[in-house]
Amino acid sequence: MNAKVACLALLLSAGIAFAQGFAGLGTDAEGFLTPMPGPEFRFPRDHGAHLGYRIEWWYLTATLTDADGRDYGVQWTLFRSALEPRTIRGWRPGQIWMGHAGLTTDQAHFAAERFARGGLGQAGVTTDPFVAWIDDWAMTSRAEGGADALSLINVVARGLDFAYDLWLEAQGPPIFHGDGGFSVKSADGQASHYYSQPFYTVAGTLALPDGNIPVTGTAWLDREWSSRPLSPDQRGWDWFSLQFADGARMMGFGLRSDVRATFTAATWIAPDGTTTAYPDGALKLTPLGTRRVAGRQIPIRWRVELPARGVDVETAPLNPHSWMATTVPYWEGPIRFTGSHEGRGYLEMTGYE
Amino acid sequence: MIGPATTAILSHWRRHPGQCLTLFLGLALATALWSGVQAINAEARAAYRQAASVLGQDQLARLDSPWGGPIPLADYINLRRAGYLVSPVIEGTLGTFRLLGIDPLTAPPEAQPTLLAEGALDVADFTSGAGLILLSADTLPETLPDGLPPVRTVKGLMPRTGITDIAIAARLLGQSDPSYLLVLPRQPAGLPDLAGNTPGLRLTEGGGFSTPGQLTDSFHLSLTAFGLLAFAVGLFIVHAATGLAFEQRRASFRTLRALGLPLRTLIAVLLAELLAFALIAGGVGLILGYAMAAVLMPGVAGTLRGLYGAEVSGEVLFRTEWGLAGLGIAVLGTVAAAGHGVLRVARLPLLAPAQPRAWAIASGQTMRWQSGAALVLFATAFALALFGTGLAGGFACLAALLIGAALALPPVLAAVLGAIRWPRAGPMAEWLWADTRQQLPGLSLALMALLLALAANIGVSTMVGSFRGTFLEWLDQRLASELYVTVRNKAEARALRDALSPRVDAILPVVSVAAVFYDMPADLYGIADHATYRDHWPLLSSEPDVWDRVARGTGILVNEQLARRTGLTLGDAIPLATDWDLPLVGVYPDYGNPAGQAIIGLDLFAERFPDIPHLALAIRTDPGSVPALIRDLQEAFALPPRFVVDQSQVKHISLQVFEQTFRITGALNALTLGVAAFALLTSLLTLSRMRLAQLAPVWAIGQTRRRLAVIEMVRSGVLTLLTFVLAIPVGLALARVLLTVVNVEAFGWRLPMRIFPADWLRLGLCALLAAALAEAWPAWCLARTAPAQLLKVFTSER
Amino acid sequence: MLTVEDVSKIYQTREGPLTVLNGVSMNLQVGDTLALTGDSGAGKSTFLHLIGGLDCPDAGRITLAGIDLHGLDDGGQARMRCCMVGLIFQQFNLIPSLTVAQNMAFQARLAGRYNARFVTDLAVRLGLEQHLQHYPEQLSGGQQQRVAIGRTLAAKPRLILADEPTGSLDEATGDAVFTLLLGLAEDTGTAVLLVTHSTRLANRMGRRLHLRQGQLVVPAAPWAL
């Protein structure tokens, strides 16, 4: 889930106040580890924080439906950004944590944001038991026995005017993007460690101003960490996750550059979790129409083509105004797609000024 | 018609530039003093608003510990983990420097420095690395404590207050627990109410904090009173000047009317003339007022800091709020002061003989009216002193007293001059006496102004002098220890005790904790049981065994202001915690301290607050050994100079604070007196022109002009002296009201009144000098008046 | 008693020097009464003021009782005004802040010649005995002039200088006041120099001089002798 890397990097380059807190990190990785090819993942350790790397996230998106068949989307994200490659006890911010929560209906979009400094207990991630939290927002493992910690999780978050409480059960194994979890982000070699759990089924409750709504659906969890995720010329990206009727999944992104062609990458995930990574150019993303959202022109409809898999679909958002009006604003919301395939997914678009 | 009429009317000023200048100066001075005071007030109020809003404290609710100490960090994290949006603040002082540590990650925008909230400052620069401290530009760098992060000056902060990241504040202040938590105005959906979920913490709604507001109100009220007084005095000048101008133009007015100028037009032209004067002189007055405020503001800032602990910048900005008000009051004042003249023009009979007549001669009827009004006002003042409540009552009492005294002055002076007979006086003395009495009505306004200025001077200086004397005595008693040492940590404290014990008579720890009594912030002190306190500590009232009970931990002392504010009397049980109260066994004076304070025995303190280290030590020793001790201590413990202070230094600093505190009072006093002298000058000038008719016969009968001039000087001196003598009782009454009513309401302490006759002598000489200066010009003019000028009196209409 | 020798007075005006008196000479003996007439602005009052020591001549000498008036300093002239001369003007003779009694006694006390009985007698003769405790403003114009006369006579001056003393009074009142003045002056042997427009008053004086173009002339009118 490349998008998040870029999200943080963009924070920097966008020159927004808080973003610049991470600014030094976007351009050099001094004192921090650099993702190297051929990573070895070990769980539960790698579900936890990798303090040696500058940025990291736990990123969940869910496409949900209520009893009346109405669609919903939910986002839960915990970002970690390191000022120093260690946790410092006390007020000094060795790590800064940021939480984003979103809830999209066909009529409205809710967003909330939290910040915390590490070292106090206000936010953090533990692996045994697995909990990722900021304030009262938490992603908590409910897995028992020897099962993978992320195979059964409870996710809660709360904003000023919404809340949700979801239970997620993995129906397949975690999968690794790129080359065994080494995901390249640009022709210059920027990369991250990147794995996902794309096979969650979800049941839970959304608390909206009009009342509580029981929902069911599917969800996708991204885990990614890096120290130097983007090239300096990369300004924004468009990230898709698509779910196909046969149980297959697809992840694809395009990183837009000021000076070069968009860098694309995709992962095809078979229903059994087998993955195929597609290099730059295999995926083709074409905006079909823009709409004015939060004062910007946002391409909310896309043509997504992965000829190698016979994919040629057009996407449409559940709610064109799925705008995350957070410190660094971006568009993130559930979509449906039609064409060669039909199904639901999630779209994230950043860097539209 | 209007054109020529205007020219005719205005030509007067060209022929009488001195009069024009007088009117102009009077208006400008009145406006200057008034608007200067208003500028100071506006600046201070803006500073309070700013102080209250630095962390959104004026709007945001707050959670703090009911005992005034910090909030355990775990409590804060638990609240956040429960979903509540609260933001920590670590606040403390480094010497006199106030440090506020905020957490920009959780603070709402309204609680952040503007720079951060608007994104003009990187949160990262603020939060990470060496960090930053935001200071106002008028915080002098050399007065800052050591070890601060890089400084960035910003607008909109109070002096001597720094805002920095909470991590830096925690390090500098050595405190990791938040001092309090700001509660964000909107809390997430679906959470239980915060109020019921903060065990051990106290939730205060926004706006409910004791700001310096109430206390400083009294200060600003008194400044306003001074401003009003000065303005009134300035209006006397305007009244005198316009009165003369109207009188001298009566012939012109009549001629113009006889030539067919409608009365309405004449009045309109005159009003337009007044308005122009008011606006131009008022504008100049605003500039003068601004300059005055700029000069006085540092003193005011010192006063507010010293007396009320309120931080106010020493800068003054031009604000439209007082600018417009100043111009407005200049116009209103002009109309009020000149209204009488305009009215007389309106009533001027077309064909009345142009008989010159002193315009301001008041009849006996006026005197009776003044006496009656004065009596009513005195009765009101007396009733207010007895039954009035609150600061407003105190000031109303003062106002009634002063206005009453001013109104009573002419009748009283007339009575005095009438009652005194000089059995063997020569004809000139007799004439002088009679003439003085006759001149009284014309001078009464100026003399009233002088009386007010003198009475205010006597009253305020008596109050300040009483305060000063009491304060000095109190300092002597209170600062009984020879040396005061502060150390940095427990280990140092232990080492210091070991090192000092053999060399000194006693080492008395002084420990304190910020506390809250009756919802007011206060300091709770623990003191050792020692003769230093038993023999020296001043007490206003106490139980017989007060010190035994304090030592045993079965009694508590509170300072006077706390006792007064809460109405405590001896024997009252003072709640210190839900499970802990102590009976009040003594009340002690605590002058100059804006906050409440209480004292308990050291053992009890240590038992209740075991974590608070004994870092401040009072040391009793032979005074002669103090310099050597200081030197040894500084060498052995490398203590910074301000950590080791001897008694005389403390006294010196306290006195400095005290003097600074009342500098503004002195300045305003002098200004008011100056304006009163100017009023006297203009009145005398006005009268001197009308007095030729009185003086010419005496001259013709065989007096030299010089002698007459001397006699005029003597007359002014006599009137001034009489006014001064009458001002003494008024001033003393004023001081008494200030000390027993206003001070108690404003500061919470009552001071014994002391009398300073030497000061009166000085003031009396000052007043005489002012009168002499004011009379000097008219007298000099008289001495040089051409005989022809005097002779005209006898031959023609002037 | 009064000798005026070759006295000149020149006023500096905007239009240039204006000669008011040009080498005027005259004298006056004890008990003499002299009327000085002349057109408006002829310099009558100026002449009177010079003699009274109220103003200084630009040339010439004025001797009063053998004393050169303008050889004296300001204080000396004041003493002469106080002790030797009585001045009565058209109006505003009185000191407004003093009562009638005080006004009448004022100059005598200054001159050190105060005699209570004499003043009381004067008051009776002037018909002022009912008004002794009144203030000038409470009196009519005629009464005020009578007080002025009383004050002057009470000081027993050698010379009374009167400048239109009845100018602000109606004819009858003026005549009455004037008669009193002349009568009392005669009784006390005081010389009187009267400045007036009124021929009628002038004719009641022993001598008459006319001031014309800065020179004193004896009027040629038939009634003069």
Side-chain angles (χ1 to χ4, degrees):
Chain A
M1 182 143 165
N2 198 335
K4 271 43 242 190
V5 180
C7 175
L8 287 181
L10 189 74
L11 294 176
L12 325 174
S13 54
I16 291 165
F18 191 79
Q20 292 181 353
F22 307 90
L25 311 171
T27 48
D28 75 82
E30 201 175 321
F32 290 92
L33 300 174
T34 303
M36 300 300 282
E40 280 185 28
F41 292 92
R42 267 178 41 212
F43 300 114
R45 183 198 67 186
D46 284 319
H47 294 325
H50 300 79
L51 297 179
Y53 296 85
R54 202 176 286 253
I55 46 180
E56 179 165 20
W57 50 82
W58 293 254
Y59 209 118
L60 184 84
T61 47
T63 50
L64 304 168
T65 310
D66 70 5
D68 298 334
R70 263 196 292 272
D71 283 357
Y72 299 89
V74 158
Q75 178 205 349
W76 188 103
T77 314
L78 182 65
F79 299 96
R80 179 184 65 81
S81 173
L83 301 178
E84 297 178 49
R86 68 187 79 88
T87 291
I88 303 164
R89 279 186 56 77
W91 292 101
R92 202 170 127 210
Q95 310 285 324
I96 287 182
W97 298 82
M98 174 171 77
H100 280 184
L103 197 166
T104 313
T105 74
D106 55 0
Q107 298 296 323
H109 180 83
F110 302 93
E113 180 178 41
R114 298 288 175 87
F115 287 101
R117 46 187 95 203
L120 296 168
Q122 188 192 343
V125 176
T126 59
T127 50
D128 189 19
F130 172 83
V131 187
W133 81 94
I134 183 166
D135 294 340
D136 59 334
W137 303 3
M139 175 182 286
T140 312
S141 169
R142 302 296 179 184
E144 289 179 355
D148 178 66
L150 292 182
S151 62
L152 180 62
I153 55 176
N154 172 235
V155 173
V156 294
R158 188 188 297 282
L160 293 180
D161 41 13
F162 75 99
Y164 53 75
D165 185 343
L166 304 176
W167 288 78
L168 299 89
E169 188 168 6
Q171 307 298 328
I175 63 98
F176 301 89
H177 296 283
D179 183 6
F182 179 75
S183 170
V184 176
K185 303 301 182 195
S186 88
D188 299 338
Q190 274 81 7
S192 66
H193 294 311
Y194 185 7
Y195 75 88
S196 296
Q197 170 47 270
F199 296 117
Y200 281 123
T201 55
V202 183
T205 310
L206 308 180
L208 290 171
D210 294 335
N212 290 351
I213 299 166
V215 287
T216 56
T218 59
W220 175 304
L221 173 69
D222 267 1
R223 286 278 294 112
E224 192 161 9
W225 58 95
S226 177
S227 291
R228 197 181 169 194
L230 291 184
S231 275
D233 60 297
Q234 290 177 329
R235 284 293 171 248
W237 62 90
D238 308 290
W239 176 91
F240 296 82
S241 70
L242 307 177
Q243 307 160 20
F244 300 106
D246 61 355
R249 306 280 193 262
M250 187 190 117
M251 185 285 294
F253 61 80
L255 285 156
R256 305 189 304 278
S257 162
D258 291 344
V259 293
R260 291 180 278 192
T262 299
F263 179 92
T264 62
T267 304
W268 182 268
I269 307 160
D272 64 354
T274 338
T275 58
T276 315
Y278 291 92
D280 183 19
L283 177 73
K284 196 175 169 206
L285 300 171
T286 315
L288 295 179
T290 63
R291 185 139 171 195
R292 195 159 180 84
V293 176
R296 302 154 166 87
Q297 290 296 332
I298 305 280
I300 50 161
R301 288 161 31 90
W302 290 81
R303 183 174 179 192
V304 179
E305 296 167 88
L306 186 61
R309 288 287 172 174
V311 174
D312 182 355
V313 297
E314 284 185 26
T315 71
L318 170 64
N319 183 339
H321 296 279
S322 301
W323 187 250
M324 295 294 287
T326 40
T327 303
V328 174
Y330 55 99
W331 194 102
E332 173 113 26
I335 53 172
R336 281 189 178 270
F337 56 89
T338 53
S340 64
H341 300 72
E342 288 194 0
R344 301 168 73 179
Y346 238 84
L347 168 61
E348 178 183 72
M349 299 180 283
T350 68
Y352 290 94
E353 292 303 322
Chain B
M1 190 76 205
I2 293 182
T6 309
T7 314
I9 287 170
L10 290 184
S11 67
H12 172 82
W13 301 112
R14 211 170 43 243
R15 282 179 37 231
H16 298 89
Q19 216 176 79
C20 182
L21 187 71
T22 304
L23 178 55
F24 188 83
L25 273 181
L27 256 175
L29 272 180
T31 314
L33 284 168
W34 168 260
S35 57
V37 163
Q38 290 312 311
I40 288 171
N41 282 347
E43 206 56 47
R45 292 210 181 96
Y48 305 147
R49 272 200 300 278
Q50 203 177 54
S53 63
V54 160
L55 284 177
Q57 289 176 359
D58 51 341
Q59 293 134 34
L60 296 181
R62 242 213 240 187
L63 278 171
D64 56 15
S65 157
W67 308 119
I71 295 176
L73 180 60
D75 285 7
Y76 163 62
I77 296 302
N78 288 341
L79 281 169
R80 290 294 309 198
R81 293 298 309 272
Y84 295 103
L85 298 179
V86 292
S87 182
V89 177
I90 291 181
E91 182 186 21
T93 52
L94 296 168
T96 61
F97 185 75
R98 180 173 171 229
L99 195 63
L100 279 172
I102 62 164
D103 179 18
L105 298 183
T106 53
E110 60 264 44
Q112 299 196 21
T114 324
L115 275 184
L116 278 176
E118 289 174 357
L121 175 66
D122 301 348
V123 174
D125 290 346
F126 188 76
T127 299
S128 63
L132 269 183
I133 186 159
L134 306 181
L135 293 175
S136 71
D138 59 357
T139 305
L140 299 174
E142 60 270 20
T143 65
L144 294 179
D146 303 330
L148 292 185
V151 166
R152 179 144 167 198
T153 56
V154 295
K155 283 199 193 305
L157 287 183
M158 289 170 303
R160 305 204 58 71
T161 298
I163 295 192
T164 189
D165 184 67
I166 192 167
I168 293 164
R171 174 169 58 81
L172 289 174
L173 296 170
Q175 170 185 339
S176 60
D177 293 329
S179 302
Y180 54 89
L181 305 177
L182 297 171
V183 180
L184 273 67
R186 282 194 71 193
Q187 293 291 325
L191 287 179
D193 196 18
L194 179 63
N197 283 276
T198 55
L201 297 180
R202 187 181 53 171
L203 177 68
T204 317
E205 291 306 321
F209 306 101
S210 61
T211 57
Q214 290 153 322
L215 290 177
T216 49
D217 268 357
S218 66
F219 178 77
H220 295 297
L221 197 55
S222 59
L223 272 191
T224 304
F226 251 119
L228 208 56
L229 191 66
F231 186 73
V233 169
L235 287 191
F236 289 139
I237 302 173
V238 176
H239 183 81
T242 54
L244 181 62
F246 277 89
E247 178 66 26
Q248 289 181 340
R249 289 188 290 179
R250 282 180 60 155
S252 311
F253 297 158
R254 200 177 36 247
T255 308
L256 284 169
R257 293 233 18 232
L259 289 174
L261 182 74
L263 178 62
R264 197 170 295 185
T265 313
L266 176 62
I267 299 288
V269 169
L270 287 176
L271 284 177
E273 174 195 270
L274 285 176
L275 193 68
F277 257 112
L279 289 178
I280 296 170
V284 172
L286 283 188
I287 296 167
L288 288 178
Y290 176 78
M292 181 191 107
V295 170
L296 292 180
M297 197 62 207
V300 174
T303 302
L304 291 168
R305 194 176 304 127
L307 267 188
Y308 307 97
E311 283 293 345
V312 173
S313 148
E315 292 170 33
V316 180
L317 301 174
F318 190 90
R319 291 171 196 273
T320 42
E321 56 186 277
W322 60 260
L324 288 179
L327 266 190
I329 201 161
V331 170
L332 281 180
T334 310
V335 170
H340 184 228
V342 176
L343 215 64
R344 286 192 46 185
V345 171
R347 290 182 185 157
L348 184 71
L350 199 51
L351 293 173
Q355 187 179 23
R357 198 176 74 94
W359 55 272
I361 289 187
S363 63
Q365 206 176 358
T366 310
M367 291 245 187
R368 277 195 296 282
W369 172 86
Q370 283 173 333
S371 311
L375 284 179
V376 170
L377 282 168
F378 285 144
T380 309
F382 192 66
L384 279 169
L386 284 184
F387 310 113
T389 51
L391 206 53
F395 277 100
C397 175
L398 284 184
L401 178 69
L402 284 177
I403 299 171
L407 286 178
L409 179 71
V412 169
L413 277 180
V416 169
L417 290 171
I420 298 179
R421 293 265 178 258
W422 306 98
R424 306 190 54 186
M428 285 308 287
E430 199 175 273
W431 169 70
L432 168 64
W433 205 247
D435 203 51
T436 304
R437 202 161 60 226
Q438 205 210 22
Q439 212 187 337
L440 203 53
L443 273 177
S444 63
L445 277 177
L447 291 176
M448 283 180 190
L450 187 65
L451 178 87
L452 289 183
L454 289 174
N457 211 307
I458 291 171
V460 171
S461 68
T462 302
M463 190 269 280
V464 174
S466 300
F467 195 172
R468 196 172 193 275
T470 310
F471 184 69
L472 283 177
E473 273 181 19
W474 170 81
L475 268 186
D476 281 340
Q477 294 172 322
R478 183 100 170 228
L479 297 175
S481 299
E482 283 74 18
L483 189 61
Y484 296 85
V485 184
T486 311
V487 290
R488 286 164 290 216
N489 51 49
K490 279 185 184 178
E492 236 173 33
R494 211 172 304 117
L496 189 90
R497 278 168 166 277
D498 293 345
L500 281 182
S501 306
R503 296 180 58 184
V504 301
D505 300 336
I507 300 173
L508 309 169
V510 181
V511 287
S512 72
V513 61
V516 172
F517 292 115
Y518 301 98
D519 288 334
M520 279 184 283
D523 292 310
L524 180 64
Y525 276 80
I527 58 169
D529 180 20
H530 192 265
T532 303
Y533 301 111
R534 288 176 179 266
D535 298 347
H536 296 288
W537 194 266
L539 289 171
L540 294 171
S541 62
S542 61
E543 302 282 5
D545 51 350
V546 47
W547 292 110
D548 291 334
R549 290 178 65 178
V550 169
R552 284 200 307 267
T554 57
I556 187 170
L557 305 172
V558 302
N559 67 357
E560 185 188 3
Q561 38 275 59
L562 181 61
R564 284 192 190 274
R565 276 174 209 155
T566 51
L568 291 172
T569 53
L570 293 182
D572 287 351
I574 298 182
L576 292 160
T578 39
D579 58 337
W580 181 30
D581 55 46
L582 281 173
L584 178 64
V585 294
V587 176
Y588 57 94
D590 191 17
Y591 306 119
N593 176 7
Q597 202 183 76
I599 293 178
I600 58 174
L602 187 63
D603 296 342
L604 182 60
F605 190 96
E607 183 189 313
R608 281 282 168 171
F609 306 97
D611 297 335
I612 293 187
H614 298 184
L615 299 181
L617 303 168
I619 291 161
R620 298 306 310 267
T621 185
D622 167 30
S625 68
V626 167
L629 265 184
I630 291 179
R631 202 172 49 244
D632 295 352
L633 280 178
Q634 281 174 344
E635 271 171 25
F637 294 93
L639 289 173
R642 63 192 162 86
F643 280 39
V644 186
V645 189
D646 69 15
Q647 192 191 66
S648 61
Q649 255 180 300
V650 180
K651 279 184 189 165
H652 179 69
I653 293 167
S654 306
L655 260 183
Q656 262 186 334
V657 169
F658 184 90
E659 305 295 358
Q660 171 74 21
T661 297
F662 287 104
R663 205 170 289 166
I664 173 78
T665 321
L668 282 178
N669 253 334
L671 277 176
T672 314
L673 198 60
V675 175
F678 190 69
L680 199 59
L681 167 71
T682 57
S683 295
L684 289 170
L685 271 178
T686 305
L687 284 178
S688 74
R689 286 152 211 265
M690 302 172 183
R691 283 184 54 68
L692 285 184
Q694 338 256 326
L695 296 175
V698 184
W699 168 74
I701 284 169
Q703 296 297 323
T704 61
R705 285 164 290 163
R706 187 173 309 172
R707 179 139 189 244
L708 288 176
V710 170
I711 287 172
E712 291 293 286
M713 297 279 289
V714 170
R715 179 198 332 280
S716 301
V718 166
L719 283 175
T720 304
L721 205 61
L722 279 175
T723 304
F724 171 71
V725 168
L726 290 174
I728 291 176
V730 179
L732 291 182
L734 179 70
R736 183 146 186 87
V737 175
L738 281 172
L739 288 170
T740 59
V741 181
V742 176
N743 267 4
V744 175
E745 292 290 343
F747 307 116
W749 58 69
R750 186 180 178 138
L751 298 160
M753 184 157 122
R754 292 159 187 243
I755 309 282
F756 302 92
D759 284 356
W760 303 348
L761 196 67
R762 212 165 32 239
L763 181 66
L765 289 176
C766 262
L768 280 179
L769 187 70
L773 284 176
E775 179 60 59
W777 171 247
W780 189 73
C781 289
L782 175 64
R784 292 195 31 152
T785 305
Q789 201 68 30
L790 286 161
L791 289 167
K792 274 187 192 167
V793 170
F794 307 111
T795 52
S796 64
E797 290 182 9
R798 284 174 305 136
Chain C
M1 186 202 68
L2 169 72
T3 316
V4 177
E5 297 168 75
D6 209 16
V7 163
S8 294
K9 181 71 183 177
I10 300 161
Y11 284 119
Q12 299 301 325
T13 68
R14 274 184 202 163
E15 289 77 32
L18 173 70
T19 305
V20 180
L21 299 174
N22 191 4
V24 172
S25 299
M26 63 155 285
N27 58 59
L28 201 65
Q29 302 305 320
V30 175
D32 272 5
T33 60
L34 173 75
L36 183 65
T37 55
D39 297 336
S40 283
K44 305 187 297 289
S45 292
T46 302
F47 187 59
L48 192 78
H49 296 156
L50 291 176
I51 294 170
L54 295 168
D55 210 346
C56 289
D58 294 306
R61 228 163 87 102
I62 299 173
T63 317
L64 187 59
I67 299 166
D68 178 3
L69 200 53
H70 300 287
L72 296 171
D73 61 2
D74 201 32
Q77 288 178 6
R79 258 195 311 283
M80 290 297 281
R81 287 203 299 277
C82 173
C83 304
M84 304 291 287
V85 182
L87 288 157
I88 303 172
F89 301 104
Q90 183 175 344
Q91 55 186 2
F92 302 111
N93 282 297
L94 302 182
I95 298 165
S97 51
L98 298 180
T99 60
V100 167
Q102 287 171 324
N103 261 295
M104 283 184 67
F106 193 70
Q107 190 175 1
R109 293 175 67 191
L110 283 179
R113 303 195 191 115
Y114 176 60
N115 181 325
R117 186 177 205 147
F118 181 52
V119 172
T120 313
D121 286 352
L122 277 175
V124 173
R125 289 192 62 183
L126 289 163
L128 291 169
E129 66 271 26
Q130 303 299 318
H131 304 291
L132 286 175
Q133 294 313 311
H134 288 167
Y135 283 90
E137 62 180 22
Q138 294 167 296
L139 303 182
S140 71
Q143 287 169 330
Q144 287 191 24
Q145 284 306 67
R146 277 186 270 155
V147 176
I149 291 164
R151 181 197 61 200
T152 302
L153 290 167
K156 297 176 182 153
R158 306 281 291 275
L159 170 66
I160 290 178
L161 300 173
D163 188 353
E164 298 280 14
T166 61
S168 60
L169 307 176
D170 63 76
E171 196 168 294
T173 313
D175 279 353
V177 167
F178 190 66
T179 306
L180 267 172
L181 171 65
L182 282 186
L184 285 166
E186 194 176 349
D187 291 357
T188 51
T190 311
V192 178
L193 175 61
L194 169 75
V195 164
T196 185
H197 281 297
S198 163
T199 352
R200 200 163 40 78
L201 291 184
N203 285 338
R204 295 178 61 181
M205 304 299 278
R207 278 199 292 155
R208 186 173 164 216
L209 287 173
H210 193 72
L211 193 59
R212 181 184 302 147
Q213 291 172 348
Q215 302 281 340
L216 278 179
V217 292
V218 177
W223 59 80
L225 292 172

